[in-house]
Amino acid sequence: MTAYDLVIVGAGLFGAVVAHEATKAGKRVLVVEKRPHVAGNCYTEDVGGIPVHRYGAHIFHTDDREVWEYVQRFAEFNRFTNSPLAKYGDELYNLPFNMNTFHQMWGVTRPEEAEAMIAEQRKEITGEPRNLEEQAIRLVGRDIYEKLIRCYTEKQWGRACTELPTFIIRRLPVRFTYDNNYFNDRWQGIPIGGYTAMAERMLDGVEVRLNTDWFDIRGQVEADRVIFTGPIDRYYDFCFGKLEYRSLKFDTVDLPVTNFQGNAVINHTDSAEAYTRVIEHKHFAYDQADVMGQPHSVVSYEYPKTWEEGDEPYYPVNDERNRLLYQRYREHAEQDGGVLFAGRLGAYQYLDMDDTVRAALDLWRKLCE
Ligand code: FAD
Ligand code: UDP
């Protein structure tokens, strides 16, 4: 039996960063990954010369200088700026909510006209917003709520906006400038050549066992420490019950057209279609002639769904039941002491890629203390 200083379960971004740092520090590291590939949900695969984001569109954005400089060591990033459109019936709107959206919605052209419009519409909300619906109307008024938020959100989360927490909608910028950049962060881009190559570079020189479920081999591996980036409830055989997730289904088609929708991301905000987003992958590589020049285009329709056994657990469910259940597992893990739970599944928390890299670097530093 080989003895390792550190076993990391999961070759996603969290696992790849910790494995890289530990290997650099001279530790004997094993990474175990049940999927046939590294990079976790950031995985991109080549489909006829186009990098396809298999588990959903991934755009790297951050305000954290150290994280931004760190990822540059493993990949060159392009200057992709996420500027999605929202389609409601035959109407198209720019996102996030900005002067372009307000002009398209109301014909206004100046910030003070848009502000006055919203001020008038938000009057119906008095007091602190108690749910997503009230928060959305408070932020942008009822017209935008009805056309661009209500239905999209209910498709995405499978629940009425009146039953969802306010913070989900506060993630989106609201601007009184003509700026369609979906994120406020200082740095943004997509690794040229895809995220998989970036993760592979992080894992250069690290022993990685793909197609291997930790639960099938854990009795055969000796390790001083284990970091588990899979679902915490599965680790403890669901002893307190199952955590819930939202999942997604991607219907991906390869079309014989050079340019299908003219943009990487179009949100479908009405109830006519069950999908929320349509992704045209080649536009993420907008500045690469070899990708854009392909005579075909790969397009993914994204359908939200309730998680069932066998589905990918994408998003944690933000409600009281799941929060308390996770806390129970966490307390159990602290008493158990043998394993560290991390990454977006171990922490049962939605983490963007930059948060994930930050958390991985912080954990590694703590382990070095
Ligand atoms: P993961 O990528 O999930 O990696 C965990 C790995 O552990 C998986 O590969 C899994 O197979 C493996 N594993 C689990 N259990 C076991 C086991 N028992 N044995 C062996 N292996 C196991 N972030 C952004 O910054 N920008 C975006 O635009 C963005 N878009 C997103 C879109 C979607 C649809 C989703 C779901 C997420 C998005 N994210 C985005 C978040 C991003 O995916 C995460 O930040 C990142 O993937 C987290 O990395 P991780 O290593 O924690 O988890
Ligand atoms: N949202 C919306 N309409 C849109 C885009 C977003 O109502 O066209 C809302 C929705 O509630 C979503 C939230 O804003 O969950 C945050 O959007 P983001 O793009 O951060 O995440 P998503 O949940 O779409 O992955």
Side-chain angles (χ1 to χ4, degrees):
M1 203 188 294
T2 321
Y4 296 95
D5 296 313
L6 180 61
V7 169
I8 300 168
V9 182
L13 201 50
F14 194 98
V17 169
V18 177
H20 179 82
E21 291 304 312
T23 304
K24 209 170 65 182
K27 304 288 180 199
R28 287 161 303 165
V29 180
L30 171 67
V31 174
V32 180
E33 171 55 60
K34 68 178 179 184
R35 290 175 179 171
H37 59 74
V38 300
N41 282 352
C42 310
Y43 175 68
T44 35
E45 66 187 331
D46 181 277
V47 177
I50 300 170
V52 170
H53 298 214
R54 161 108 64 96
Y55 303 95
H58 276 71
I59 299 123
F60 199 98
H61 55 97
T62 189
D63 255 340
D64 186 328
R65 182 184 291 276
E66 189 193 357
V67 166
W68 183 237
E69 287 173 358
Y70 187 83
V71 293
Q72 310 290 314
R73 309 217 304 249
F74 307 97
E76 188 185 345
F77 280 66
N78 69 13
R79 293 186 51 201
F80 181 83
T81 300
N82 195 27
S83 315
L85 293 159
K87 187 164 184 292
Y88 178 85
D90 291 331
E91 301 166 21
L92 269 184
Y93 295 92
N94 287 107
L95 292 174
F97 311 120
N98 72 80
M99 282 306 296
N100 288 303
T101 331
F102 307 142
H103 174 68
Q104 290 146 353
M105 186 68 66
W106 299 312
V108 297
T109 55
R110 283 185 303 112
E112 66 181 312
E113 293 171 314
E115 276 163 1
M117 205 70 191
I118 292 172
E120 186 55 36
Q121 295 197 4
R122 71 156 61 107
K123 277 187 188 153
E124 68 172 282
I125 307 298
T126 49
E128 264 310 290
R130 286 165 301 179
N131 53 51
L132 194 148
E133 175 174 294
E134 292 185 1
Q135 178 68 75
I137 295 171
R138 163 71 70 85
L139 283 172
V140 287
R142 183 162 282 273
D143 291 345
I144 290 180
Y145 169 68
E146 291 294 344
K147 286 192 170 177
L148 304 184
I149 298 175
R150 189 166 64 79
C151 196
Y152 179 97
T153 301
E154 294 183 357
K155 287 196 280 188
Q156 175 79 331
W157 296 102
R159 275 193 272 162
C161 290
T162 46
E163 288 168 25
L164 286 164
T166 54
F167 72 86
I168 295 179
I169 195 72
R170 287 202 306 263
R171 288 214 290 262
L172 293 191
V174 178
R175 295 193 195 107
F176 293 90
T177 55
Y178 288 92
D179 178 0
N180 296 326
N181 182 354
Y182 201 62
F183 303 113
N184 279 328
D185 288 345
R186 184 146 180 204
W187 297 287
Q188 184 174 170
I190 307 249
I192 296 168
Y195 290 95
T196 311
M198 180 175 97
E200 281 167 354
R201 259 172 238 130
M202 290 174 172
L203 291 166
D204 197 20
V206 180
E207 183 181 344
V208 181
R209 284 192 217 164
L210 296 177
N211 299 302
T212 307
D213 194 314
W214 173 241
F215 300 110
D216 295 335
I217 64 154
R218 63 173 156 181
Q220 307 151 28
V221 179
E222 212 176 284
D224 288 349
R225 196 183 280 283
V226 175
I227 297 178
F228 187 80
T229 71
I232 191 168
D233 54 343
R234 166 68 184 92
Y235 188 86
Y236 290 115
D237 279 330
F238 310 105
C239 64
F240 302 126
K242 288 190 178 181
L243 287 165
E244 290 170 287
Y245 300 89
R246 283 295 286 164
S247 194
L248 298 170
K249 182 173 125 334
F250 296 101
D251 199 354
T252 298
V253 287
D254 195 350
L255 301 172
V257 297
T258 52
N259 185 5
F260 173 68
Q261 63 179 16
N263 205 39
V265 183
I266 298 190
N267 292 1
H268 287 255
T269 61
D270 59 23
S271 58
E273 292 97 5
Y275 47 80
T276 45
R277 283 187 272 233
V278 180
I279 311 295
E280 187 172 11
H281 297 267
K282 63 166 38 170
H283 294 295
F284 291 121
Y286 71 98
D287 57 347
Q288 280 173 258
D290 56 331
V291 176
M292 293 305 285
Q294 289 294 335
H296 68 121
S297 196
V298 180
V299 171
S300 296
Y301 294 81
E302 183 175 322
Y303 295 86
K305 71 187 290 288
T306 306
W307 181 80
E308 293 162 47
E309 208 67 48
D311 290 339
E312 290 296 337
Y314 282 114
Y315 299 100
V317 172
N318 305 297
D319 66 10
E320 201 55 8
R321 177 197 171 267
N322 287 287
R323 197 183 61 76
L324 291 173
L325 187 55
Y326 172 70
Q327 217 168 309
R328 259 187 105 181
Y329 278 112
R330 197 79 219 185
E331 280 158 16
H332 186 62
E334 270 154 33
Q335 280 156 19
D336 185 24
V339 180
L340 291 172
F341 292 90
R344 63 179 191 101
L345 292 169
Y348 193 65
Q349 201 185 351
Y350 182 87
L351 295 175
D352 270 326
M353 289 182 279
D354 62 329
D355 303 327
T356 304
V357 174
R358 164 54 55 208
L361 290 174
D362 287 350
L363 177 71
W364 173 246
R365 280 176 194 150
K366 215 167 143 210
L367 292 179
C368 292
E369 278 169 7

